[in-house]
Amino acid sequence: MLDFFTIFSKGGLVLWCFQGVRGPAAAATAPVNALIRSVLLQERGGNNSFTHEALTLKYKLDNQFELVFVVGFQKILTLTYVDKLIDDVHKEFRDKYRNEFQQKGALGLLNGTFDFKEDFLRLLRDAEESSRVRAPTVMKTFEQSLKSQKTVKCMIETRGEKPKEKVKNKKNKGPKKEGTEAVAAPGKASAGDKQPSAAGDKEELTKDEILQKNREEFFRRHKKAGEKSSKSPKPEAQKEKGKKPRVWDLGNSNAKVLDYSNSATNGSAEAAPPEEFDRDTALGDRNREPGRLYDLEYESDDEAEEEKVTQNPSKPSTKKGSALGGMFGMLKGLVGSKSLTREDMDPVLEKMKDHLIAKNVAAEIAVQLCESVAKKLEGKVMGTFTTVTSTVKQALQEALVQILQPQRRVDVLRDVLEARRHRRPYVVTFCGVNGVGKSTNLAKISFWLIENGFSVLIAACDTFRAGAVEQLRTHTRRLNALHPPERHGGRTMVQLYEKGYGKDAAGIAMEAISYARNQGFDVVLVDTAGRMQDNAPLMTALAKLIAVNAPDLVLFVGEALVGNEAVDQLVKFNKALADHSMAQTPRLIDGIVLTKFDTIDDKVGAAISMTYITSKPIVFVGTGQTYCDLRSLNAKAVVAALMKA
Amino acid sequence: AMAGGLEPHMEALRRELRASDPTVLSILLALLAVVVTFLIWRFVQGRRSSRKAVLLLGLCDAGKTLLFARLLTGKYRDTQTSITDSSAVYRASNDKSASVTLIDLPGHESLRLQFLERFKAAARAIVFVVDSVAFQREVKDVAEFLYQVLVDSTVLKNAPALLIACNKQDVTMAKSAKLIQQQLEKELNTLRVTRSAAPTSLDGSSTGAPAQLGKKGKDFDFSQLPMKVEFVECSARGSKGEEGDADFEALEKWLAKIA
């Protein structure tokens, strides 16, 4: 049922491959490459399965010998034995070819022949069988079922039924139903024609009697009080007595008959029946001061504190207990080769996760990152004089630098030159939520472009916010003052294209782009209105603008102060762009502009959150409000600030 | 006068040495031994780390890992995207005693700079592998990576020999080495301007101004670089497919020259 199973080294050499059901030999490489690129290299290794087109891929890393085991099968199948199979194959492959792996360098892998097919087929057969074999659930025998507990006779319903058994059952059921009611109820005058008589003799009932019986049952069910257990309909007896006068409940009956009050308690001081008044349950807290209003209690904190308090005493006790052994153990851990286990890494990873969250990385991303690092380090052999903490910190640092490295080329000037060569303007769109600094950074970027000799057209597609167009006009005027046309051969370097307020943003953008093409502008910067990611109509409008105008670069402007919100914003923006695009491959966010970077000291986690979620690079970093405060990202500096204690 | 001033001091020292306990003397001797050992060790280290590595760099899917396997074993192996480096000792075929360490670095964008940082100090030579078939499409990315390698301060200082291997020549659509050279020169010329005009990085003070590639006034040319640059054509897969040998005599000759 498997499509393929590959074993390859982390250095790239395929050690062994198994082609399962169908497909040419090369069919395994493309999905596996996709797996490597999207999962392993982007530090999403927490979850061990990955879907690519029609295949599901499950993988396992061997960090000691630097191997990767990947199995691929059809997405629609749900194979339960795959995890176990991978583990078994891992163990056996590793044991069988231990010699090749332990050679230094890659020569062992290059020269070794890995003839694993028979072993693999055997393991596959075992795994398949183990998943198939399961004892069918045995049906319960009749004796075990509940039904046999009841007597058979009571289940038979016939016309000429002896009422005795029914009465007996009702007697059994009756006390259960009426057990809570006060037994000492005085004889109440019920609809008097039903007088309890002795348990009836075994007489056959006529049709009328059956009717009466059913009527009785109906009435009985609707009566709340009263004891009816010993009642049995004896219409025959009553009929023979003759017609008795009907006594109505509300009718002309004596007041005495209707007086239900308890003679003993009538008129006494305690009107309530003698039930137990539990003072504590009524008042609640015993220790409260009378008359004082208390604040809301935060029970969760108390519980958490209690847990911590109980944990802490246990930890020092274990430390004290194994102090001497611990010292030697620490020395032993420093020297010699020790392979990392999950238990060793967990406390360190917890600390690192908290550290990352304290540095403003979104919580779920910190968790995923730590999971991925744990997967990468599990089983790895540490060198001499390296502690667990240092290994984990090193791995985390590498992972963070890896995330911040751009996955594609980030060179706006080069692309602008390319577009100029093709005689078309390079269109950049800025989108983001309210108040992140889109217009400010747009002005900074246009300043930078002008400094490099490109002419810029600013399209004011923010037709909603009051003063947006005026803001851009002020920027245009200032930039032209800084770079007057005389310095650039008589052409105005910056121009504003605006159509006032209230118009359709996508239409203005389209007109601006064609105007730029006619007038020969190099770059068009499109400023859009800020919008919340949950606002569906506005997101639709933005998606329409981007889908219709097909800009060269879609920049998401996000502020560095944002915390967990960054994840939500980016995910929803990307989703909106993908949903409303008609194209096969929708235009998503191409890059991120991180603004207000000067307001955070070293809590630079937002950079990590944003690049992790989108895997798009941070193109610009805004570090202030003047035109010169535009920087590019330095991955090492950011990671250093992040890992600083 | 100076010599006269020194003599009494020497006399005093000699008298001190003879007069004092053997402990002081032994301490002095021990210190001397330590210093001598230290010097020897540094010397030996310097000798040993005399850059014996040949790095295989390039974009993803350029064919570095296959080239690595072919050079070392001569056999064809299936490969996947590398996540980490592989290294092995390579002996030239004419069996001179000199050997180099071939290091195959991953080409993926998020890893390549990290690994380059790690191994650039030990590099005696760099083989930059280019996919000749996809070159037209990827020329900007190839040029960017090459630019990043060339402006690196360690690389400029050590000036390791650079070979640009135009791989995948077995495919008919592959571009020739001459064409690739011309295109790269043009692209690097543009990159010089755009890269130096990019906004300064966040920690701008540490990096300072980026290094200038080639001569300022003239168009960029590979001959302007401080290191020796050569272009060769090769094919790791080989014209006869997986069974036959790889087609890279020029590469092997160059490696033999380097070793």
Side-chain angles (χ1 to χ4, degrees), chain A residues 10-12 33 110 409 414, chain B residues 77 80-83 144 187:
Chain A
K10 281 192 184 174
N33 273 333
L110 281 172
R409 211 165 41 87
R414 182 72 192 83
Chain B
R77 301 295 295 264
Q80 298 283 163
T81 312
S82 318
I83 325 177
E144 162 150 10
E187 191 63 32

Side-chain angles (χ1 to χ4, degrees), chain A residues 10-12 14 32-33 37 41 66 105-106 109-111 398 402 407 409 411 414 417 448 452 631-632, chain B residues 72-73 77-84 87 108 110-111 114 140-141 144 187 191 194 197 199-202:
Chain A
K10 281 192 184 174
V14 174
V32 179
N33 273 333
R37 272 176 228 211
L41 286 175
E66 313 244 303
L109 301 174
L110 281 172
N111 292 325
E398 283 173 12
Q402 206 174 302
Q407 304 269 351
R409 211 165 41 87
D411 196 349
R414 182 72 192 83
L417 277 173
W448 172 63
N452 284 300
R631 301 266 178 277
S632 65
Chain B
L72 288 171
T73 62
R77 301 295 295 264
D78 278 323
T79 56
Q80 298 283 163
T81 312
S82 318
I83 325 177
T84 185
S87 60
H108 195 267
S110 29
L111 296 174
Q114 265 180 310
K140 290 203 216 64
D141 301 301
E144 162 150 10
E187 191 63 32
L191 271 184
T194 60
T200 54
S201 83
L202 272 177

Side-chain angles (χ1 to χ4, degrees), chain A residues 341-351 371 374 388:
Chain A
T341 59
R342 206 57 203 266
E343 292 81 35
D344 295 334
M345 291 193 289
D346 268 341
V348 185
L349 279 175
E350 271 295 310
K351 225 164 31 111
E371 261 306 305
V388 178

Side-chain angles (χ1 to χ4, degrees), chain A residues 352 355-356 359 392-397 400 602 604 637-645:
Chain A
M352 296 292 358
H355 175 79
L356 283 177
K359 293 275 184 167
V392 172
K393 271 203 178 146
Q394 176 76 13
L396 191 62
Q397 197 160 357
L400 287 170
D602 52 353
V604 294
V638 169
V639 173
L642 204 59
M643 298 294 289
K644 195 166 65 168

Side-chain angles (χ1 to χ4, degrees), chain A residues 434-444 446 458-480 494-498 500-501 527-530 596 624-625 627:
Chain A
N434 313 65
V436 291
K438 287 184 292 297
S439 307
T440 313
N441 283 280
L442 186 147
K444 285 190 226 167
S446 48
I458 300 179
C461 294
D462 184 353
T463 52
F464 173 71
R465 202 193 74 195
V469 178
E470 279 75 19
Q471 178 183 17
L472 289 174
R473 193 173 291 131
T474 311
H475 277 302
T476 312
R477 224 178 296 132
R478 277 201 209 156
L479 288 169
N480 274 328
V494 193
Q495 225 180 311
L496 177 68
Y497 189 90
E498 54 94 1
Y501 295 96
D527 185 25
T528 61
K596 307 187 190 168
Q625 308 224 27
Y627 290 131

Side-chain angles (χ1 to χ4, degrees), chain A residues 111-131:
Chain A
N111 292 325
T113 50
F114 298 90
D115 194 13
F116 198 63
K117 188 153 185 183
E118 283 83 36
D119 303 285
F120 176 76
L121 288 174
R122 175 178 40 92
L123 287 168
L124 183 63
R125 262 198 311 273
D126 293 337
E128 278 176 349
E129 275 172 29
S130 73
S131 78

